[in-house]
Amino acid sequence: MEDATGEAGTVSERELTPLALAALSIFAERPRHAYDVYQTMLTRREDRNVKLRPGSLYHAINRMVAGGLLAEVGTDRDGGRPERTTYKITPAGRERLAAQLRTMISTPVYEYPAFPVAVGELHNLPADEAVALLRARVGVLEAELDYHDAGDAWMRRAGLPERLWLDNHYIRVMHTAERDWCAALADRIAAGELDWTDRTPSGLAASCDYERAATPLHPDVPPRLANPEPAHQTEARN
């Protein structure tokens, strides 16, 4: 079966992308038109959690309409502007939203972030450059933390329930941990605590110990690389 975009299956049958999930959550508050959803996501800085572009958002909304998660309420025109269609979430949409949230919260999925790859290959750079780059990242993260602190203060002054900005808490904790780790690593490299030579330990790739290190610690634990890729990442590449 193909949906309105010509892709196999309907959006109600597949995992929602993060963008679609965030939009559907906003529709769960009240009926809205697509541009209102876009502006609301910008105001709430959802663009820090998902890749937010008008075209991608409207495409996601159209797919959710085709999949029965949203339904048209009517159209209106404001002055000389084009007509805007208002949508509301359907019972199927609320069910799909709740089901995916349950899965996403309860089940960790390895999302293949880029930074650990760079950290794993950091030894290819000179020690002094590695230290400078790590400390530069610390500075960026500290600026991000200042931003989140300001956001916390604004939301408290506005009287918004804390449950509505738990994502800000989570991101702040993650940034704090990353900042502290990067700062500590930079200090260790600068102090000469890590062997930062150009050579690779002899026989590493061929050693039995290395091969054993790449296998699970317990036969009942599957290899990490067997962790399934999130469906929304597969869709994004197709």
Side-chain angles (χ1 to χ4, degrees):
M1 178 179 180
E2 293 188 349
D3 66 10
T5 65
E7 298 175 356
T10 67
V11 71
S12 60
E13 296 170 344
R14 297 194 308 272
E15 180 179 327
L16 295 172
T17 65
L19 175 61
L21 184 74
L24 189 60
S25 179
I26 291 175
F27 278 114
E29 298 172 3
R30 62 177 175 82
R32 300 172 184 265
H33 53 73
Y35 184 71
D36 182 32
V37 173
Y38 177 69
Q39 289 297 320
T40 299
M41 294 181 78
L42 286 178
T43 300
R44 297 179 183 180
R45 295 310 309 268
E46 294 281 359
D47 56 323
R48 301 178 72 84
N49 298 329
V50 298
K51 292 182 179 179
L52 180 58
R53 299 184 180 89
S56 299
L57 175 61
Y58 300 158
H59 176 69
I61 290 173
N62 288 336
R63 289 182 60 196
M64 288 191 287
V65 172
L69 305 184
L70 296 174
E72 293 186 9
V73 175
T75 59
D76 61 78
R77 185 189 299 273
D78 184 7
R81 295 179 178 177
E83 282 190 346
R84 291 177 175 173
T85 302
T86 298
Y87 304 95
K88 67 177 181 180
I89 192 170
T90 65
R94 290 189 183 278
E95 182 179 342
R96 188 70 188 87
L97 175 63
Q100 185 157 328
L101 285 173
R102 292 186 184 106
T103 299
M104 293 175 71
I105 294 295
S106 65
T107 309
V109 174
Y110 194 70
E111 297 179 336
Y112 304 98
F115 183 57
V117 177
V119 169
E121 304 303 331
L122 185 61
H123 58 86
N124 288 286
L125 298 176
D128 56 349
E129 185 177 3
V131 169
L133 292 171
L134 286 166
R135 288 175 174 166
R137 189 179 186 91
V138 167
V140 173
L141 289 169
E142 287 178 341
E144 285 289 307
L145 288 169
D146 289 343
Y147 172 87
H148 286 290
D149 286 344
D152 278 3
W154 181 88
M155 286 180 276
R156 290 183 191 280
R157 289 195 302 270
L160 294 177
E162 190 172 347
R163 70 177 186 276
L164 298 181
W165 36 288
L166 292 175
D167 56 335
N168 201 59
H169 285 189
Y170 174 79
I171 293 171
R172 194 188 191 291
V173 169
M174 295 298 102
H175 281 354
T176 299
E178 184 178 329
R179 177 202 62 187
D180 294 347
W181 185 86
C182 288
L185 177 59
D187 289 345
R188 291 181 64 203
I189 297 173
E193 295 180 14
L194 275 70
D195 177 10
W196 211 261
T197 58
D198 293 334
R199 60 183 176 80
T200 299
S202 60
L204 176 62
S207 72
C208 293
D209 288 342
Y210 179 79
E211 293 298 328
R212 281 196 294 270
T215 62
L217 298 178
H218 189 279
D220 294 333
V221 179
R224 188 176 198 179
L225 293 181
N227 199 346
E229 183 176 11
H232 63 77
Q233 291 188 0
T234 303
E235 289 179 27
R237 292 202 307 269
N238 294 334

